[in-house]
Amino acid sequence: MSTQHLIEWTEDGGPRTAQWRSESGAPPPRRVVVADDRMTADAAYRLVCEGTALLWRGDYQGARQLLAALARRVDRGPRRPRGRR
C-alpha cells in the first residue's frame, strides 16, 4: 500500500502542491519556501537551519552559487554574537 506524500507552498499568490518522492524514504519537509536569485545566502541559511526546504526558481548557475555560499556557512560553523569574545 503506497501513501502519497504532498508538499505545499505558496507561489504567485496562490497555494501549490506537488507529490513528494524520496529515493531514501525521507519524509517530506513541513515547510517549503520559494527561493530565487533575490534571496541572500544569509536568509537561505537561516531558513535551512530552521528545517525549511527551498524550492529553487532560478537558473542553474544561481543555484550553484547559493549552494556554494551555504556550504561556506556550514563549514564556518556557528558565529559568536558580536561584541563578545
Side-chain angles (χ1 to χ4, degrees):
M1 202 186 282
S2 74
T3 304
Q4 191 176 58
H5 296 284
L6 296 176
I7 58 171
E8 300 175 352
W9 69 96
T10 302
E11 188 172 14
D12 296 330
R16 305 280 191 242
T17 61
Q19 185 177 356
W20 173 258
R21 294 182 183 179
S22 171
E23 181 80 20
S24 66
R30 292 188 178 151
R31 185 169 177 230
V32 178
V33 171
V34 175
D36 60 18
D37 292 331
R38 296 172 294 183
M39 181 175 282
T40 65
D42 286 333
Y45 183 70
R46 270 193 303 277
L47 288 168
V48 170
C49 286
E50 294 170 355
T52 301
L54 301 178
L55 178 62
W56 185 254
R57 294 293 197 203
D59 65 6
Y60 177 76
Q61 291 302 322
R64 283 183 50 127
Q65 289 176 347
L66 182 61
L67 286 174
L70 289 172
R72 287 191 299 273
R73 282 158 178 76
V74 169
D75 292 342
R76 174 173 68 206
R79 285 186 173 176
R80 284 186 260 174
R82 290 186 181 187
R84 292 188 178 175
R85 292 195 175 213

